[in-house]
Structure formats: C-alpha cells, structure tokens
Amino acid sequence: MIGSPDVVALTKEDDFGDSFTDPCSLPEEFSVPLFAHAANANPWTKTSYAKFSKDFILVSEFSEQVGPQPLITIPNDPKVCGTFDLNYFSLRIMSVDYQASFVGHPPGSNYPKLNFVEDSKVVLGDSKEGAFAYVHHLTLYDLEARGFVRPFCLAYISADERKIMHQFQELSSEFSKASEFLKSGNRKAFANELEKKLKDLEYTRLVLHKETELQKMNNGCYSTQAIEKANELANVEKSIYEHKDLLRQITSYPSRKKKDVDFIQQETEKPADMSVIDDTLNSHHSDIADKTVETESKSRKSSYTPQLIKAKSAKCFDKRLKTMEELCDASFFHQTLEQLNIIEKSFRGDLCLIYTSQIDRALLSKQSVTSFLFEAERDWEYGGTSKNFSISSNNPTVPILNLSGEPLSLDSYTTCIDVDHIKPGVESMEGPPESSTSDITQETSEAADTETKGSFSSDKSIEAFGGVSPSSLQANYFDGLERKSKVSIASPSENASSSVAVPQRTSDGNLVPMDAACCIGQDGFIFEEPLPELAQECCGDTVVNQEPLSFLQGDPALQVDYTFEESALAESPNMGLTFSELNTEEVAKINIEDVSDSTSFMSASTSSDRAVSLFTYGSALTLKQKKKAGHSALRFIRQYPFAQQAIFCLLSGRTLVILGVDEGTVRKLVNALFIFVPNLGKYGETVQPWLSSPFQLTDLQRWKLIGLQRAASPAGSSILHSLNRYSRYISILDCDNKTLRCPPYKGTLVSHLADHRTQIKRGSTYFLHVQGMLTQLTAKAFLYTFCHHIHLPMDINDQGSVTSRRTNFLLQLSYTVEESKIVHYLSELIKQHYIQGSSKGGNQSFCFNYTTSYLYKI
Amino acid sequence: MLRWILGGREAQGTVEKSAALFIGEEQPKNCFTEMQVLKGHFDIVRFLVQIDDLRFASAGDDGLVLIWNVETGDCLIELRGHTQQITAMISYTFIRGGNAHTALITASSDRTLSLWDPDSGNRVQNISDLQSPVKCLLVLVCLDVWLSGGNELCVWNRDFELQCKTVHHSDAGISAMVELPKNFIAAAMDKEIVIFKLNLSGSDIAVMAMRHLADHQDTIHSLIHINDGLFASGSHIGELIIWDSVDWTIQAYEHILWEEPARDGQSEFKLNHQKQIERSIQHMSSDGEYIVAAIGSGLYVYNVLMKSVVAYRRIAHDSNVLHTVLQQDGRLMSCSEDGSVRMWELQDLPLPAEPASSGFFGMFGTFGRSSKQTGPPAKKIPEVPGLRSLELIGDLIGHSGAVQVRFKEKGLVTCSTDHLLIIWKDGEFQSQLRSLAVFQKLEENQEL
C-alpha cells in the first residue's frame, strides 16, 4: 500500500554543530563541502544506487480517479529516469501531502469555501530507490473536481540527498515561482469556468422559472410538479449563490499577491522572450488581474451560449478530468514549464558546483564597486537567488517552529509577506479570531499525525535526516509565538512525533519551520525580494525582509565579512557526495567550442566568471560568447606580435579602431578583443563591432572598441579624414596591412596577460586566465581608488603633493608608467561608477593622454 | 608712432626645419586631458557667456540659448523664443532684494531683445519690432543701464524701458562698444570710433555723440578695453591703435604688415595662400598690460606700457585666428577657423637678438602628417630689446571654428561651427576632485 515517505526535516545548520573547521588555510567563505575521503576512495564513482542517471523534475497529480500519477518529467527524456519507477515515486511523494484543505462545506458555513491553501514544501528520501526529493505540493482549483481541488506536486528528484538538503531554500524559492505561475493561471481559468457555470445556472433558472409559472397556471400552486419545479428552482438559486460566492472569493484574491507574481515574472523573464512577456503581461500585468478576468468574461458573455444544466452536477468517475494545461491558462502553463526547465538547468550537476557558483555569486554581489569592470552584470539575471544566498549566509537563524501553520503574527504577515488567504475566507473562518483557527489546525494535524504514525511503522526504509530536537524547537517556538499562545498549546508533542517540520527561513533570519502536516493558509515563506515599498512598510514588524547588507556597510576598504554557514556539512551523517554526473570521461570530452548543454554544469565550477546564467538567453553577452572570444583572443595573440600594445590601449581606455575592408575579419578581431574592454556593459554597449560611417568625437565617449569599414567611396575618405583628425585619441589597428598605430607599452603586466608563447591551448582556459589577471588588476585599482592618504590633500593648495603621492603609490605597486595609466583609468571608472551609481546616465567625460603613437608592423 | 614692418627685407635666417609649430603628441604642459562633448545646438554656436561659477550659456544661429553646468556637462535649461539667429548675448547682474541676480540679455536677427532668468528659464522681458537688429550689447553696471548697438545706440534701464537713443547713424551701424570713464562710451562704426556721452539729469538719461575719431583707414573689427586709461581698436588692414580713455588721443599706432616674403629667394617654400596674406585684426584681448591681437592666421603680443611688441608669430594657425584669450600666467590661447585651439607660452629668447631663434617661423604642420606644410621662411627679427618668443605648448583638437571662454579651475569651454560645445578639463585635477567626491560619499553613507 501507500508507504510513508521518508519525510525529512531540514534543520537549521547550526544544529549540526559548528565543528567544521577546514585544516587548510582556505578562508571559510570559500569552502565548499569536502569530499569524505574515508567513505569512498574514488570520488568519481557513484555512491548512489539510484536507478536514474541524473536529477530530474517530476510533476505528479493525486488524481481522484486513478490515484497518484506522474504527469511530466523534466527533462522529458525516458533515459533520464531509467528504470526508476515514476508511478511508485509519485505515490510516495503525493502521500506526503498532509495539507487538509477545507474545501466544500466547512463547519459553521453553509456554502463552499475556497481555501487558498499554501504550498507545502517537504524533503523526502527513499533509501531503497536511492532517490531523494524536494517535494512542492500545491492545489489547483477545478470546478468539476471533488471539493473543487486537484492536488499536484512538483518534485525535484536527485540521488544526492545532501544536494536537496542544502539547496532546500533555493529549490523552495524557485519552485515557489513555478507554483505561483500555475496558481495564478489556475485562478484565472477557474474564474472563467465559474463565470460560464453561472451563465448556465442563470439560464437554467430562467427556464425553470418560466416552467414553474406555466405549471402554476396550469395545475395550481401546490401540484407535485409545481413543488418539484420550485424545489429545483430553489436548488438552482442556491447553486447560483454558491457559485457567485466562489467567484467572489477567487476574484477577490489579494491583489498584492498578484503584484508579487508580476514581480517574479519580470525578474525571471529575459529580454529575448519579449513575446512571452507580452503575452503574459497582456493578460496579467495589469495589476488587478481580476479586472482582466472580468473584462474578458464580459467579452465572453457575448460569445458564450448558456446551456440548460442540472442543478446538481454529477460527480462521476468516468468523466474526463481537465489536464493541467486546461486547469491553468496555457501561457501560464508554458511559463511554468519554462521555469521548471530553468530550475532543472540551474541545479544540474554536483552539489560542489552549485555551491561554488553560489559562493561566486554571493561574493560577486558584494563587489558591486568593481564588478562592473570586467564581470558580466547579472543582477537582473539571478534576481532573488543570489540574494537569498547572501541572506542565508549572513544572518544567523533562529528556528521557530510554527506548528499551527498560522502565521506568527497575522498582522506582520499581512503587511510584509504574501498571505495567500483570501480575505473573506479568513474572516469568516476566524470568526472568533484565534480559537477557531487553532481548533481547525489541531484537527488536521491530528489527522495527519495518525496517518504518519501508521506509515512510519509500515515502512522500514524510513530515514530521518537530521532530526530536530523537539525541545529546542519548542523553546524557540514559544518565543516566537508569544502572541499566539493559544494556538500552540497542543502542537509540539505532535510535531515531535511526526517530525515533518521543514524549517523555512524568513529573510530577517528567523527560521520558521513549516509544518507540512498542517500548513493551512500560510504562505509566509517567501524568498523573493519584497517589493521595496513593502519592505519599508514592514520595518517595524517582527518579520522583516531585509536587503542583504552591502559589503560597504561593513567595511569599504576590505571586502570581507563573508560568513557562510557551512558547518552543517561537517556534521551531516552522510558525507559521501554522489558525483552522479561528473566523471572523468565527461570532463575529457569537453571541447573548446562547445561548452553547451551537455557540459554546462562543468562551466559553473571551472569558470571564475560566474556567468553561467541559466536565466539568460540571447541579448546580453553570455559566457559562451566570452569563451569563444577567449579562443579568438588566443589566436590574435599568437598571430599579431603587437597584441600587447592593442590590449594595453583597451585597458588604458584609449579607443581602438579596427580598420578593414572585410567585415568578417574586422568582426573577428573585435570578438577577439572585447574581453579586454573594461566596463563592457551588459550588452557590450562600449563596443561597436562594425561601423561604416565616419565616427564623431562623441562616439569616442561611447565606444572603446570600434570596427570600422575601409571603403574607397567618398564616405571612405571622410572616414579616413576623421581617423586622421582624431588620431590623438585613438589607436588604429589596420587589419588589411597588419599594422597598429598606438602609443608604446613597456611593462610586464600585459605580457603576462597576452603572451604569444603561452602554453594555454584552449579558448576557455585562456579566457579564465584573462579573467584572473583582470581580477587582480581590478583589485589593485580598487586599492588605489580607496586609499585615503594618497588622494586627500594635506591642505587646500596641495594639488601637487597628491599627484606625486599617487604616482609613488603606483610605482610602489611596481607598475610602469604605462601600467599606471591602466590602473588610473580603471580607478577613474570605479570612481565614476561609485559616484553616479550603476546608472550610466549623463554625459560621460572622456579622458585621454598626450602621447606619441608609433606604427607597429608584423 | 611706431610703424612695424614685419617681413623679409633680408634673406638672412634660412629656413629652419623647426618643429616649433608641429607640437606632436607629447604635450607635457597641456593639462587638458579630459573632454566632454556637449550636444544640443542645431547650428553654429557663436556665443558663450558665463553666468556664475557653475553655469554658462551658449547661443548661436539656431536661436536657442542653452544653459549648461560646467562640472557635469548637463544641459540645465533650454531658452526658446528667438526665431532667428542670435546676434549678441551678455550677462546682466543686478541687485534685487539685496541679492545679486544674474540674467541674460540676448539679441536676435528677428529684431527682438529678451531678458532671461537662467534659474527658471522664463523670458522675463521681451522687446520686439526693433528698427534694426542689435549687433552688440553693453551693460553699464554703475548706472544700472544697458546699451544696445545696431544702426542706432539705445539706452535701456533694468525694466527694459527705452531711456533714450541716438539718431540713425549709418548702414554700417555699431559693431562694438566699450565703456569709458565718466559715462562715456566708445562705439566702433565702420572706420570710425564715435565717443558718446550719457548725460544724467535726475532720472532721465540722454545720449549724445561727442566726437568722431577717424584715424583708421579701414573697418574696425575689434574694440577692447585695456585698463582704466586705455582702450584699443584694430582694423581690417592691421592698424592697431591704442587710445587714451579720457581725452581720446592716440597713444600708440601700430600698422602690422605681414608682408609677403617676395625677395627672400625661398619662394619655392611658399604656399599659395600666403600671397593674399590676411592682416585683418579679427580679435584682441588684453589683461591690462599686454594686448594679444589675432591678425590673419598669426598672433601679435603688444606691451601697452612699454609701447612695444613683445612677441609675434606670423603663422600660428592654418587659417584665420578668430579668438584669443590672454591668461594670467603669461600663456595665451588662440582659436582658429581650422578647428584647433592652441596654447602658447611667452618665453624669453635665449639670445634676444639671435636671428637663429627665428626658427619659430619655420616649418610647421598640423598634427596630421598629411597636412604638414612648409611655413614661410624666417624673417628678420627686429632689433627690439625684450622680444620674446611665443612657444606652442599644446593644442586641443576637437572641432572646427572655435570660439572660447575660460573658466577658472572648472575647465575651458569651446564652441564651434560644428554645432558642438566641448568642455576641456584638467584630467589630473578632475581625478582628484572625483576622489574627494568618492570619499565624501563614503562618509555620507557611513561606509568609511
């Protein structure tokens, strides 16, 4: 029968102890989970005996007709799942859904209530199958379903338990987005369905009314037929009333919720997908989606022909249930699938890789002062994820077990965090404010509890991962629930026995474990950044969503203060990492040109450029492009002996014009060199790959790398004229004659960067080498920029000494005059960036030097 | 009266291939290493007026007046109203309510005069239907009136009320005006300088012509104030006359002739344009002691006190010099039709009478090798004690046809026929300012 799954409590990492100390000198913030050597000598062998080859996402439904059934797997490839029994696993994951939803007729109410049930998020493991899953349950509304609800779940299935455990928050936040898409679409579809049904009912009422009148006329008031008709009419009336109420409930869904959904959408959408955005936004972006629903329904009224229906719809098992796509609006459904694909991609690969990239991102997010120089800008790409990570890494967490499933404080939740309650429902349900709620929750948790106990005994493969100490939780729990003491009294013991609490961390650092058994009406665990105004609003409240501290608030000069809570890793009983995918063969297969899908999980770890954004496609410069650029750059360096001078020009901010007849050649050179352009911009705004008109003085302000057409036409001569006129400000790389006219460069820095005898063979490796060097350079520029004593004058008329102190400082960093120019230029960019913020508005001034240029030939 | 003939009366001093005029790219004395190009005008920009330490206004043939922030390069306000090109612009500072206000007065070919408030962008006053377009404006601070010069001279008070005006003079009209002591005004009208007197009787002001000074042989292009006792005028044929401000007598007369070096035997070096050598004095500027005159494509520095030439350079630019600025530190700047701005320094000659130093007449070219050309052959250095040389220390290349105005510390603004304005700044100084701004912001954000 239905075996109870191994429900895992994700605990605060502190509970595992702080004893993890790395013997190596690596600072803690850079540490990644270490491979347990004792457990397995070869890290590349699979420790897991999972029947599937890699992680996948499973969407299942608990069908009222056939029971749990798998619907979709992502990636949709039978090979992925292998021999893994999806049906069996669906059954298991669906059976964890303890949420009892009061749809139908709740006590004290005469007509159906929609409960805007929160998603539940649990981790479960099945040691037999070697499968561990993050399971995200949600319910969708369906007028034809029993109790109007259809339970679904989204599960991330991996053979690596630790991955699930440690990535719980990220998974939760990403799956919440997917779930939000589904639910918003579903609300819309449900409202439409209700409207149709109402039209039918009203039509039926009209018909019945006419018939009744007719029969009254014919047979008198009290004939059996008349009474029957009257009863039928009354039923229809009641049904109309009920449906109207349902419609009211679904349409009065808090609009704030929708705004958040919009927010999420905007965040995750890519410019490349404008059409999708447009679609969804057209139907959705109007912040009151209800209005959209209404207007749409109005238009539908004209087209929809009402039908005569029976007042009581038959609930028969042979009818066809709606598919998921029908339940949700099609565009929302596809958006969900997209989001799930993104999740699959971003969590692909080994935990170490994910960790590394997350640490990368977290560190990078603290480098906002300098990261614009050479790193890809990706605030918008990662959105919540990186921020979540930094939140979790910065704030100590206090677990507060919220057993009742009710928000700690309803006030605070309603002001700052999404509450999925529909307002009227809450009010009526909580007639006497708290007692009734607690009653209800107790009922459910008891019900769930018995179920759990039963399944506990029935299945031997249950493992409890990192059990929560009830007492400690209890203490915290009471701390957190002072105001809600009534609700909590009965609960702790129940929880202790079931231990299905999944802690959820709110962003102020409070750990609010969510009890899966009784998570009604709570959606307090929102990991997305709040809307700014909301964040301000709720400052005074107990639950505060805080922006992660910028490092500058900590220490401007030294970018420190990274605290990562990795201690849990050391304590975790099962240290064996399952390198399910990463094996040597695959590593060897990676080729330079194609660092794409099959190997992209590698890139997360091998690249210091953290640009493996799976949230991006198109438009912005991607890592793939940059790696290809690395390949071209490598060729350029080998081919042109004056490559160093060219790179020096770019680094020191002197515009480099690549002049040539053939567009392909010019573009190739531009591609080879753009990785050296500081402050490249998200879309490479500072590069103009191909220009066939004469450039203006203002163009020099915008572009630092220009591909220019050499033409014999009059236009060509005016191009040459402008080249000549502005030759003071530019360097010219003539790719037809293979000459470079630019200032001389002396020094070692660029020769390390671009050594034509380099042993590096692969473009991606070279790109990483360049990134490393540039990062080093950026660090020096940062140091130079933020050193007080060299910039602040001793007194007002002290310009000269500042100049000499600056020069000396750069000399002490053992930079030559030319290299000082590079650092100086980077420093100016940093200053401008810091003063103006990231906005690139305004009229940038343009710096240059008076230096003699020389002509270099091959 | 001293008559100067600069020219090759002797073939001495053979052509030296001096690089004095081809400065090249190494310009250690040129501190302008940062530029900001300001776009906003749609036609030639002709006028730049400083409003205060931070702001300046630009105006030109598109009838627009734009007000800019010199530090950030932002266009603050656009003053629209004139339908035709602007012919004169001046800033007008007056005291109202104890505070000094600076307004802008503009004159346009559409025969209107307007007063603008640069803070709000409002056109505070406007006078249309003038009989003739105004060519020049002059503010008399002591009387709190201002004058407009066109075909006639009009006197206006602060509220744009016409106080008085002169009768119609001539078709040429007034091209320039200079304030003289004791409420006298000198106005250049074609070949004459007319001295006007403003008579104050109570609140009424009357204007009358006192004297016509007809010593120039040709049209006067430039009329400037030197100091309290002197003013100067320059004419189309190179006559430079220094006048006494009080009794309007000639203090000095220079006839500068850039004569064609026909007899020096070096004619093969000559370029065609040297045959029609321009000797018109297009512009003069003075710091009270020195006068710099832009004569043709050359520069001429004259010491008023010593009544002697200090330095000169017959060919300082490829084409006519339109504007000069004399700085306090003995440096001067010249702007030319060729689009370049050149910076010069007065340097003592190592051996004052040494003809070899005439190298500064030597070869030069613009920075581009293609346009390199041969300069005129060396000329005899007149045996004048204290003659100094004018050494090129840098050039600013950005646009064509530049007029310039100077800002202390904040930078140099140039405007041009290419519709652009450029702010040139001292890169090192700006960098230090930015550093200060960074630390200030750090402090404000309490991130230090």
Side-chain angles (χ1 to χ4, degrees), chain B residues 120-167:
Chain B
S120 63
N122 290 335
R123 194 180 196 174
V124 183
Q125 299 280 359
N126 188 42
I127 295 163
S128 52
D129 302 328
L130 293 173
Q131 288 180 353
S132 62
V134 171
K135 289 181 185 166
C136 58
L137 294 165
L138 178 69
V139 172
L140 301 181
V141 179
C142 55
L143 299 177
D144 200 17
V145 295
W146 55 277
L147 310 165
S148 66
N151 284 356
E152 61 236 328
L153 180 75
C154 302
V155 182
W156 310 81
N157 71 1
R158 180 201 290 177
D159 299 318
F160 264 57
E161 289 159 356
L162 182 64
Q163 301 298 301
C164 56
K165 65 178 190 177
T166 60
V167 289

Side-chain angles (χ1 to χ4, degrees), chain A residues 553-573:
Chain A
Q553 286 165 327
D555 187 340
L558 296 168
Q559 306 187 29
V560 290
D561 197 19
Y562 312 129
T563 50
F564 287 87
E565 295 169 356
E566 303 278 9
S567 49
L569 301 171
E571 272 298 301
S572 180

Side-chain angles (χ1 to χ4, degrees), chain A residues 445-460:
Chain A
S445 49
E446 268 158 20
D449 192 33
T450 46
E451 227 178 84
T452 325
K453 277 172 188 163
S455 47
F456 253 87
S457 54
S458 69
D459 197 321
K460 296 296 177 195

